[in-house]
Amino acid sequence: MKVAALAGGIGAGKFLRGLTRVVPGEDLAVVVNVADDIVVHGLHVSPDPDSVTYWLGDAFDRERGWGRRGETFRANDELASFDDERSWFGLGDLDLGTHLFRTGLLAEGVPLSEITRRIAARFGIGARLLPATDDPIETRIGCTDADGQPLDLHFQEYWVRRGGRDTVVGVRYRGAEAAYPAPGVLEAIGAADVVVLCPSNPVVSIGPILAVPGVRAAVAARRDGAVGVSGIVGGAPVAGMADKLMPAVGIDVSASGVAVSYRDLLAAWLVDDVDAGAITEVEKLGMRCAATDTIMVDDERAEAVARAALELVA
């Protein structure tokens, strides 16, 4: 079985750990969001590709919830001793090696897709990791601060630097309309027996991928074999800030609300047991729906979630 998964964020990383137990090696292609990418201290940082890489490479820090296991932050702490404002994006010492490698190759003209492949190989990952695009795209958050002043922020500024405290009024994907899918992205979706939308933030993880011209159409063309897993459980995100962003783009903060936004792309939708009452509502959208325990506390539970999702479109 060949599977193409659209992914971004911690929920995707956990789920993919389970999915690789079911679909090993290159039979799994993971299309990863890059609209969170940001330049920090002159270094090109790719938070979602790195998160997926560290999860699949068994290097992720489960206890802290982000970054690499065994990470230290001596360089960032030293920077803070000079100017705390400049240290708002916490780059770990191990993580710096990844960013230095990526930034150097980009300066040499190597595309992001090839760099991502090399980084995945360094971590021994058998699945194919594909950035959604090699072109620069950026999630911008339109919001207002506590004084009512309008702000236009990079997603990382909104979430990391300002702690998600501003009121969101709109989201856009700058540069997406002029971007091209990275090599292999459309081919992976077209050749897949199953397309999976991971339990990722529908606005800032899956949304930017679908905004790259050609990707949404490619997924829609495979709708009969496409399934998604809800990252909204009991009316709230399992992690992150999706509930702050979804209303601004017209998505109800519920498992069924996300299903409505994906109705033209998916034939099936997997929800958590606490949202089993939404099954009938989702089925009225023309989607198969089932419930299971989607809280992936370990790889065994993640594998069970992956199998439940695939069975919905088997």
Side-chain angles (χ1 to χ4, degrees):
M1 177 189 294
K2 294 184 182 298
V3 173
L6 276 58
I10 294 172
K14 290 182 177 182
F15 176 77
L16 291 168
R17 288 278 297 179
L19 188 58
T20 56
R21 290 177 162 215
V22 185
V23 185
E26 292 193 353
D27 283 343
L28 173 61
V30 184
V31 181
V32 190
N33 167 50
V34 292
D36 290 2
D37 285 23
I38 189 171
V39 174
V40 182
H41 314 313
L43 299 177
H44 186 109
V45 180
S46 293
D48 277 358
D50 288 347
S51 179
V52 169
T53 296
Y54 296 156
W55 272 105
L56 292 183
D58 195 24
F60 196 83
D61 191 322
R62 288 177 180 263
E63 187 171 329
R64 187 174 59 240
W66 58 275
R68 290 181 62 174
R69 188 169 58 249
E71 185 65 276
T72 55
F73 294 87
R74 293 185 65 189
N76 206 66
D77 290 344
E78 181 68 8
L79 174 61
S81 74
F82 289 101
D83 184 349
D84 187 63
E85 180 62 21
R86 293 182 182 274
S87 65
W88 67 271
F89 197 95
L91 299 181
D93 301 322
L94 292 172
D95 211 22
L96 280 170
T98 303
H99 307 322
L100 286 164
F101 179 72
R102 177 187 295 114
T103 304
L105 288 179
L106 284 170
E108 295 170 12
V110 180
L112 186 61
S113 52
E114 171 59 19
I115 298 168
T116 302
R117 186 194 67 77
R118 295 186 196 182
I119 294 174
R122 178 265 183 255
F123 284 90
I125 297 170
R128 290 178 291 148
L129 266 57
L130 308 170
T133 178
D134 283 333
D135 299 316
I137 63 174
E138 186 176 301
T139 296
R140 303 293 303 186
I141 308 297
C143 48
T144 57
D145 66 13
D147 296 323
Q149 295 300 309
L151 300 171
D152 179 27
L153 304 174
H154 185 288
F155 169 72
Q156 300 296 348
E157 293 176 310
Y158 160 75
W159 180 237
V160 180
R161 190 171 198 170
R162 297 178 62 82
R165 64 178 179 267
D166 303 299
T167 301
V168 179
V169 297
V171 179
R172 74 184 196 280
Y173 310 118
R174 187 164 73 184
E177 67 283 352
Y180 290 88
V185 168
L186 298 184
E187 293 82 356
I189 296 171
D193 297 301
V194 177
V195 176
V196 180
L197 268 57
C198 293
S200 301
N201 188 314
V203 182
V204 296
S205 292
I206 301 300
I209 301 175
L210 296 174
V212 175
V215 175
R216 174 177 282 274
V219 175
R222 305 309 312 280
R223 184 183 184 276
D224 289 348
V227 60
V229 181
S230 179
I232 301 296
V233 174
V238 177
M241 77 316 293
D243 55 328
K244 297 176 179 292
L245 304 173
M246 290 165 61
V249 298
I251 303 176
D252 183 63
V253 184
S254 64
S256 58
V258 183
V260 169
S261 73
Y262 290 151
R263 65 187 302 174
D264 62 324
L265 302 175
L266 304 178
W269 187 237
L270 184 67
V271 302
D272 190 82
D273 285 331
V274 302
D275 293 310
I279 290 178
T280 299
E281 183 178 354
V282 174
E283 288 178 339
K284 289 179 181 178
L285 301 172
M287 304 163 72
R288 293 186 292 281
C289 189
T292 190
D293 177 5
T294 63
I295 307 302
M296 295 171 283
V297 295
D298 53 33
D299 290 346
E300 288 71 27
R301 173 84 323 242
E303 179 182 350
V305 174
R307 290 188 181 278
L310 295 178
E311 287 170 3
L312 273 175
V313 287

